[in-house]
Amino acid sequence: MNGVERYERSRSLFERAAKVIPGGIYGSKAPGFLVPGAYPYYIESTKGCRMRDADGNEYIDYLCGYGSQIVGYGNERVDGPALERASRGDLLDQPAPVMVDLAERLVASVEGSSWAVFMKNGTDSTTLAYSLARVRTEKPMAIMAAGAYHGAANWCGANPFAALASDREGVLSFRYNDLGGLERLFAENRGRIACLFLTPYHHPTFKPQELPDPALYETARRLCDAEGALLVMDDIRGNFRLHSRGSHVRFGAKPDLWCMGKALANGYPISALLGAEGTRATANSFFITGTYWMSAVPMVAAMATMDEMERLGGVPRLESLGLLLKEGLESAGRESGFGARISGPPAIPFLTFDEDPDLYLNQRFGAAMARRGVFLHPHHNWFISLAHGEDDIAETVSRAREAFAAMRAGRE
Ligand SMILES: Cc1ncc(COP(=O)(O)O)c(C=O)c1O
């Protein structure tokens, strides 16, 4: 079945959308960011790690709502308490008691943190971290790794979206893991650096993922301390998947601020900014608010997600599923003569092909897998959830074996 027949309803919805929604679908879900015509544009329903698109095609999903699903779509142990809370009210005049429970629980579990505030999107959290660092240090600049994504706001100068040059004046960037380059940037801008933003490891879009140099975090801490700057750990993509006490623990980092989001409440809208004791006074002085930032349902869902993660085996289980997928896909690729490699931590994998700088093979592979009922992104890392099982991974690898063979034979 070709893409036109397979995605007929998706296409007709998209044609309607294009008339009333800028771009039809925006952000990383836009057809141009996937492969136009090769993927469904609209999803109708989900359960566990499976989903059904608007035309009734079924998939094993490796995007997990862009990382937000960690214990599986429609998880009853999360949705049950969340729906119960909704029946008594979500957005109230004052916070619900669960806000205190959640802040205490996060502070107890994220090593080094002493306070937490809640908001909706990751960008809310990184933007607040940036403001807080500038007020705390009375310095203007942030440093980020080139290609790192810290949100869809113009101030995050390292991201590739359109902005006026003046919007980006507050951000400097260095090549990830170039410790000498980072030292130089601090030295050249002495007295002007408010903070250094780092993701626990580097996950640039369109490129293989990179783990931190063993000396990165020690260097980062030393440079921040000498400058009086804050080290911000943007753990929005990694939180709950890399270490139960915060991804920084896995890599030996000692941040001052932590940005969390995505998996925090298994898809319910909530993000968080956490801080070390030394930042408390500045946070106390801030007017922190958003109309929906204290809604109770996502907070209940966050508490339930943490319980459910523990029950289902947490980070070690995600890691072992990820390793199984990595080994299976790489060996299926080799069987058809492809140097297909998974980079990054196994629970947040991304596949690229050797000698494929323009990602043409990635796009062919992504399209071939979508046609076979596996939803992977050709340009953005993937996510594993605790709803994936060994059988789902085995099915994925067997579809990949077919896809690689078809690509090798020039059929796809
Ligand atoms: C590392 C990182 N920071 C920040 C963000 C922004 O989060 P949001 O899209 O919820 O605003 C993302 C989203 O992908 C992210 O991966």
Side-chain angles (χ1 to χ4, degrees), residues 66-84:
Y66 281 80
S68 66
Q69 299 292 323
I70 190 149
V71 294
Y73 293 106
N75 181 301
E76 277 126 31
R77 288 174 193 250
V78 175
D79 291 352
L83 290 172
E84 190 284 325

Side-chain angles (χ1 to χ4, degrees), residues 112-123:
S113 70
S114 4
W115 56 264
V117 289
F118 302 105
M119 53 281 301
K120 290 287 130 199
N121 285 291
T123 310

Side-chain angles (χ1 to χ4, degrees), residues 62-272:
Y62 287 94
L63 261 287
C64 295
Y66 281 80
S68 66
Q69 299 292 323
I70 190 149
V71 294
Y73 293 106
N75 181 301
E76 277 126 31
R77 288 174 193 250
V78 175
D79 291 352
L83 290 172
E84 190 284 325
R85 178 62 255 183
S87 72
R88 289 183 294 123
D90 179 12
L91 185 62
L92 316 170
D93 289 352
Q94 293 292 107
V98 65
M99 180 161 158
V100 185
D101 299 332
L102 181 59
E104 282 176 352
R105 185 156 180 186
L106 284 178
V107 165
S109 79
V110 174
E111 197 171 296
S113 70
S114 4
W115 56 264
V117 289
F118 302 105
M119 53 281 301
K120 290 287 130 199
N121 285 291
T123 310
D124 298 332
S125 167
T126 53
T127 302
L128 183 57
Y130 178 58
S131 308
L132 203 140
R134 285 163 44 122
V135 168
R136 166 89 166 70
T137 60
E138 298 184 14
K139 295 176 187 175
M141 313 293 295
I143 296 182
M144 298 173 179
Y149 182 70
H150 296 292
N154 285 354
W155 70 265
C156 317
N159 85 45
F161 302 109
L164 298 178
S166 58
D167 290 338
R168 301 179 169 198
E169 277 166 4
V171 170
L172 299 165
S173 60
F174 75 107
R175 190 162 50 76
Y176 189 74
N177 274 342
D178 174 5
L179 305 190
L182 185 59
E183 299 242 13
R184 273 194 302 284
L185 212 47
F186 269 91
E188 286 161 10
N189 293 280
R190 192 155 294 137
R192 302 179 64 225
I193 309 297
C195 56
L196 168 61
F197 271 81
L198 286 172
T199 51
Y201 74 98
H202 196 41
H203 41 65
T205 309
F206 306 115
K207 296 210 171 103
Q209 309 191 95
E210 267 182 84
L211 295 175
D213 182 290
L216 174 64
Y217 284 114
E218 180 277 323
T219 306
R221 187 68 265 170
R222 176 170 51 76
L223 293 171
C224 284
D225 286 346
E227 172 68 12
L230 302 185
L231 177 57
V232 184
M233 175 64 34
D234 178 353
D235 203 6
I236 288 163
R237 206 171 295 191
N239 67 219
F240 291 0
R241 281 193 169 81
L242 302 183
H243 198 286
S244 62
R245 307 224 54 208
S247 306
H248 61 295
V249 177
R250 177 160 172 157
F251 300 114
K254 293 199 166 36
D256 301 294
L257 294 171
W258 292 258
C259 302
M260 298 176 73
K262 290 197 181 278
L264 193 50
N266 205 45
Y268 287 83
I270 186 166
S271 61

